[in-house]
Amino acid sequence: MDYPGTGVKQPEVSIDLNGFYSSNFEQFEHPDQSSNAPNSGSISSPTGQISAQAYRRTNAGAAGKFMENSGFGWLLEVNEEDSDQIPLLEELDIDLTDIYYKIRCVLLPLPYFRMKLNIVRESPDFWGPLAVVLAFAILSLYGQFGVVSWIITIWFCGGFMVYFIARALGGDVGYSQVLGIVGYCLIPLVVTSLITPLFSSFRLLSNGLGMFGTIWSVYSAGTLLCVDELQAKKPLVVYPVFLLYIYFYSLYSGV
């Protein structure tokens, strides 16, 4: 287009929906490479992607749309983050391999077997001793489950008494350690309780098996409890442990 009197030819200007642009095709075909600024009249095109939540709402159906309109759409929301599912045993801090090794330490406390006996004292747990105490209670009471709580109470109170005596004698042990050792060391009594009914007709033999299991439990508990500070005072620690296991055996035998 020429303006009158000027003699200068101006570039034509056309109108598009995206805005104004110059029809100077030479400038359009060879743009300035040094300029990184975007065109002011350009409009970004949609990518065609929608959120997963909007997609679910679209495909929710009549019931889902009704809940959305009623303000209960939050019930349809799903957490998209992948949450790691922790196994139940790990969540409850139950290590079956560790419990099995501790049971072997209690059943084989002699130095000949070269077991790491200190692991029972230095790595105490709760579920292993509790299972042993419950097993002994069930064997002792023959279905009288109402008295199981009394056996567990004796375990807690007797363990505290042994802990108090060991601490008074200068032993560096904790209550959880003593509770675990007392619970685990009921295993010999559980073993003998399973064998004793086979010799019920021989009362002398069955009582002998019961006393053997009690002495076995006392020896295992004394070996595990008596740390370096208590080696010289071992009889003072073993005596209350012996009375505790005698009481446990009397609960089983009914004496």
Side-chain angles (χ1 to χ4, degrees):
M1 178 179 182
D2 296 336
Y3 289 90
T6 59
V8 179
K9 187 177 181 180
Q10 299 294 334
E12 295 180 358
V13 178
S14 61
I15 300 176
D16 192 19
L17 294 176
N18 291 333
F20 295 96
Y21 69 93
S22 174
S23 62
N24 191 339
F25 294 101
E26 182 179 0
Q27 183 180 357
F28 179 77
E29 294 177 358
H30 304 283
D32 188 4
Q33 299 296 332
S34 61
S35 175
N36 295 324
N39 295 329
S40 59
S42 62
I43 300 177
S44 59
S45 60
T47 59
Q49 297 178 354
I50 60 175
S51 63
Q53 184 177 1
Y55 179 77
R56 284 195 305 269
R57 291 179 179 177
T58 305
N59 296 273
K65 293 179 180 179
F66 174 76
M67 296 182 67
E68 287 285 345
N69 297 330
S70 302
F72 295 98
W74 55 273
L75 294 174
L76 302 176
E77 295 181 357
V78 180
N79 189 9
E80 298 178 359
E81 297 180 358
D82 295 329
S83 57
D84 297 334
Q85 297 294 332
I86 302 176
L88 180 61
L89 294 180
E90 183 178 351
E91 188 173 356
L92 295 176
D93 197 15
I94 300 176
D95 189 352
L96 297 179
T97 305
D98 182 63
I99 293 175
Y100 172 71
Y101 188 81
K102 291 177 180 178
I103 291 175
R104 291 178 57 195
C105 291
V106 173
L107 292 176
L108 306 172
L110 298 175
Y112 172 78
F113 297 99
R114 299 179 180 179
M115 305 293 293
K116 296 180 180 179
L117 303 179
N118 58 344
I119 195 174
V120 183
R121 181 180 66 251
E122 295 177 357
S123 179
D125 65 290
F126 176 74
W127 297 107
L130 178 62
V132 175
V133 173
L134 288 177
F136 177 76
I138 293 173
L139 289 174
S140 301
L141 302 173
Y142 294 104
Q144 302 178 17
F145 296 102
V147 198
V148 172
S149 58
W150 174 247
I151 297 286
I152 297 177
T153 303
I154 295 300
W155 173 43
F156 277 99
C157 295
F160 179 79
M161 292 177 59
V162 175
Y163 161 73
F164 180 79
I165 293 174
R167 294 290 293 183
L169 294 175
D172 187 12
V173 293
Y175 178 59
S176 61
Q177 294 175 328
V178 175
L179 200 65
I181 291 173
V182 171
Y184 271 119
C185 289
L186 272 174
I187 295 176
L189 279 176
V190 173
V191 174
T192 55
S193 298
L194 292 172
I195 300 175
T196 300
L198 301 177
F199 304 95
S200 57
S201 58
F202 304 96
R203 187 168 184 82
L204 183 61
L205 181 58
S206 61
N207 290 335
L209 287 174
M211 292 304 300
F212 173 74
T214 303
I215 295 174
W216 190 0
S217 297
V218 173
Y219 179 81
S220 298
T223 303
L224 298 173
L225 273 176
C226 292
V227 293
D228 296 336
E229 300 88 353
L230 297 176
Q231 287 297 327
K233 306 173 184 178
K234 190 172 182 178
L236 298 177
V237 179
V238 172
Y239 180 70
V241 174
F242 174 75
L243 295 179
L244 178 62
Y245 284 114
I246 284 290
Y247 185 74
F248 275 123
Y249 175 69
S250 66
L251 292 176
Y252 169 74
S253 60
V255 178

